[in-house]
Amino acid sequence: MLKAETDYALCPKFEKAFSILGKKWNGLIIDVLLEDGKQRFVDLANKIPQVSDRVLVERLKELEREDIVCKESNLYCLTPRGVALENSMMSVKRWAENWVSESECS
């Protein structure tokens, strides 16, 4: 007798969260804003030098549309929705410290 397929269904909210946070550079942008507070574009670009200016602009706009980042007087900052990610980001950092080897970082 064959094993029945499970009725697992991906939660739409979980899927949406990972589509935002799993996009390359978004986590680093959020982390910089959590760690250092409000930032000018040039400061964000300097702190994440691997990302091109064009992609950084795109990611910031996406995070603004998701109400995670806002722009006030040429400074980018986290909204309350973005600040609420702090515990999750810390959990990911702890996981990475325990499970990601240095050789995987290059």
Side-chain angles (χ1 to χ4, degrees):
M1 190 156 88
L2 294 174
K3 185 177 179 179
E5 289 187 32
T6 62
D7 290 328
Y8 178 79
L10 188 59
C11 171
K13 290 182 179 184
F14 184 81
E15 186 176 5
K16 176 66 174 177
F18 268 91
S19 75
I20 297 166
L21 300 176
K23 192 168 241 181
K24 191 169 186 175
W25 308 116
N26 284 358
L28 292 176
I29 293 166
I30 293 165
D31 188 54
V32 168
L33 294 172
L34 280 168
E35 292 286 324
D36 299 333
K38 293 180 180 182
Q39 300 285 304
R40 295 178 306 145
F41 179 87
V42 68
D43 297 324
L44 279 169
N46 287 334
K47 291 177 182 179
I48 312 171
Q50 306 91 330
V51 64
S52 70
D53 287 352
R54 181 186 61 78
V55 172
L56 183 56
V57 167
E58 287 175 10
R59 296 300 181 267
L60 287 166
K61 285 181 181 179
E62 289 170 2
L63 291 169
E64 283 182 272
R65 282 192 302 273
E66 297 296 341
D67 193 33
I68 293 171
V69 168
C70 65
K71 187 176 180 183
E72 300 173 349
S73 303
N74 293 321
L75 293 174
Y76 290 94
C77 61
L78 293 172
T79 64
R81 190 176 187 184
V83 172
L85 289 165
E86 185 169 22
N87 289 337
S88 298
M89 296 297 287
M90 291 305 296
S91 292
V92 171
K93 283 183 180 183
R94 281 192 301 275
W95 180 87
E97 285 297 319
N98 290 323
W99 295 101
V100 178
S101 70
E102 291 294 324
S103 64
E104 294 174 288
C105 295
S106 44

